[in-house]
Amino acid sequence: MRDRQSFFEQVYDLVRGVPAGRVATYGQIASLLGLPHGARTVGWALRAGHAPADLPWHRVINSSGRISLRAGQGAELQRALLEDEGVTFGVDGRIDLTQFGWDGNVCMRF
DNA sequence: CATATGACGATAT
DNA sequence: AATATCGCCATAT
């Protein structure tokens, strides 16, 4: 195993494992990859643009449960995609990670 | 190898 | 609470 793939390839594989209706944080993904402080690198991997079309990038948000993208850069698109999957946003546009946060395991509610 | 960047995170102010 | 800054890490140049 090892760096058979670049870091972002590993990020993509992990993001693909996030079930619909759930969201993961950059720090969480980085931690799963062995870099508890590589959250920036995760975001970097996604913004790089090398991501495949089936990559559910919209399920990745920051630790605040908030969309990191700025308006005009896909933030509205990300929110729309998440709401379409059943994720609800708070009044401040925040997601309740307690309810929609990914465990790091594909487990269905109930 | 050095510097810069970035869809973060935590802390300081 | 909002903003500013530092820390952390993989790529880019």
Side-chain angles (χ1 to χ4, degrees):
Chain A
M1 42 181 318
R2 315 297 29 336
D3 43 87
R4 51 197 184 291
Q5 303 174 117
S6 297
F7 188 83
F8 52 77
E9 290 288 339
Q10 299 177 54
V11 172
Y12 299 156
D13 190 48
L14 213 47
V15 174
R16 284 193 194 97
V18 181
R22 288 239 167 146
V23 293
T25 65
Y26 300 97
Q28 180 180 0
I29 292 173
S31 184
L32 290 172
L33 291 178
L35 300 173
H37 295 281
R40 311 195 64 170
T41 315
V42 174
W44 194 96
L46 298 178
R47 99 77 237 196
H50 300 281
D54 65 325
L55 185 71
W57 56 271
H58 53 275
R59 295 185 191 135
V60 186
I61 59 178
N62 61 33
S63 63
S64 301
R66 196 72 156 99
I67 292 175
S68 297
L69 292 168
R70 297 190 193 189
Q73 304 211 16
E76 297 179 14
L77 173 62
Q78 181 168 22
R79 175 167 177 160
L81 289 169
L82 289 173
E83 290 185 314
D84 187 57
E85 294 182 346
V87 177
T88 59
F89 286 72
V91 195
D92 293 335
R94 277 187 317 196
I95 299 174
D96 182 359
L97 294 176
T98 315
Q99 182 178 358
F100 300 107
W102 184 39
D103 279 306
N105 262 311
V106 183
C107 53
M108 314 170 75
R109 11 201 204 320
F110 298 83

